[in-house]
Amino acid sequence: MRLLFAGTPAVALPTLAALLDSSHDVVGVLTRPPAPVGRKRVITRSPVHALADERGVPVITSSRPHEAETLAALTALDIDCAPVVAYGALLRDPALSLPRHGWLNLHFSLLPAWRGAAPVQHAIMAGDDMTGASTFRIEAGLDTGPVYGTLTEPIRRRDTAADLLGRLAEAGPALMLATLDAIEAGTARPVPQATDGISLAPRLNSADARVDWSLPALAIDRRIRGCTPAPGAWTTRDGDRYKLGPVLPVVEDAGLAPGQLADVDGAVLVGTGSEAVRLDAIAPPGRGWMAASDWLRGARLPADASFDRVEVGSDV
């Protein structure tokens, strides 16, 4: 089939590479426009854009595929199907009606669980034991279309969002190719999503990643892992912002108040609403990542030092 691939970040690269090496013909790539990256805000092509250029595939850059100029470029490609992985922009008619077999999304959850932009992050934060990926036909609703196929992936005890997303990104291309082959052969039978078990996974922002030390240790552990690497967990002390790496709940009772810091046998512990957690990596204001033990020694904090508590309605 003649395919248009729509995607933007690095997580989409394994699927694009698999499609380019398949029997299908990728006649174009749709990706978001170049954007500023890094501290120097250098205008940079998306990872998908870079791979398409490397492989000689025509690229259309747009965040509004329903607008006239982009729509004309898509129409000229005469596409049979449009596989999508993390494109990052809204698809609606008349663009939705262009491919003969529609737009086919590889979504990293077992739909109808975790519809939305951050399914992997929310699955970790919710403490799910299992997740996976689904291929479904995109329609006007948010991830509501009929499902062609799924794969499953266990969530490991110490998975960060990056860990889990990386495994799903590598497993997903086989599912996408199997679905496309079935569509081409006329054997695909998409199944409407169940009306129960629906959960939503909206995009996470910086406020979502702030640690509330009054929560139980397990909830803090899951939130930090779900926010790693982006948007990145953080806390404050005396109003200064500190980035946090994953933590590990500890069994022993350190007798610490929520947010209170302590050096226990060389380990940096932080009090929570239940047992303490061990902090392994931290990035103080204006500095890079370092071992939490090195930071605590160098900071020479008072014995009762604490991270700030999160106040209801506080400005983050």
Side-chain angles (χ1 to χ4, degrees), residues 97-252:
S97 302
L98 277 180
R100 296 177 183 85
H101 297 289
W103 298 73
L104 179 65
N105 195 22
L106 175 64
H107 181 77
F108 297 123
S109 82
L110 297 173
L111 292 169
W114 303 124
R115 294 173 177 172
V120 169
Q121 294 88 334
H122 281 272
I124 290 175
M125 292 192 299
D128 291 356
D129 295 321
M130 185 69 66
T131 188
S134 308
T135 48
F136 73 97
R137 180 164 180 156
I138 297 177
E139 56 184 31
L142 176 64
D143 299 338
T144 58
V147 173
Y148 286 93
T150 61
L151 61 85
T152 58
E153 175 66 32
I155 300 178
R156 300 171 186 169
R157 177 66 187 86
R158 302 308 306 158
D159 270 343
T160 64
D163 297 330
L164 182 54
L165 191 56
R167 296 202 303 276
L168 290 171
E170 292 297 329
L175 175 61
M176 176 67 86
L177 283 170
T179 302
L180 288 167
D181 290 346
I183 290 173
E184 183 181 36
T187 58
R189 298 292 182 266
V191 177
Q193 293 185 36
T195 56
D196 57 355
I198 297 171
S199 51
L200 300 180
R203 189 180 307 278
L204 299 174
N205 58 36
S206 180
D208 297 316
R210 187 178 189 182
V211 175
D212 180 353
W213 299 106
S214 68
L215 295 175
L218 191 59
I220 291 172
D221 166 40
R222 291 170 176 169
R223 179 159 296 270
I224 292 176
R225 288 188 291 110
C227 290
T228 299
W234 60 282
T235 188
T236 60
R237 183 176 182 276
D238 295 336
D240 292 328
R241 185 160 169 161
Y242 295 77
K243 299 176 184 178
L244 303 175
V247 297
L248 184 68
V250 297
V251 176
E252 62 269 21

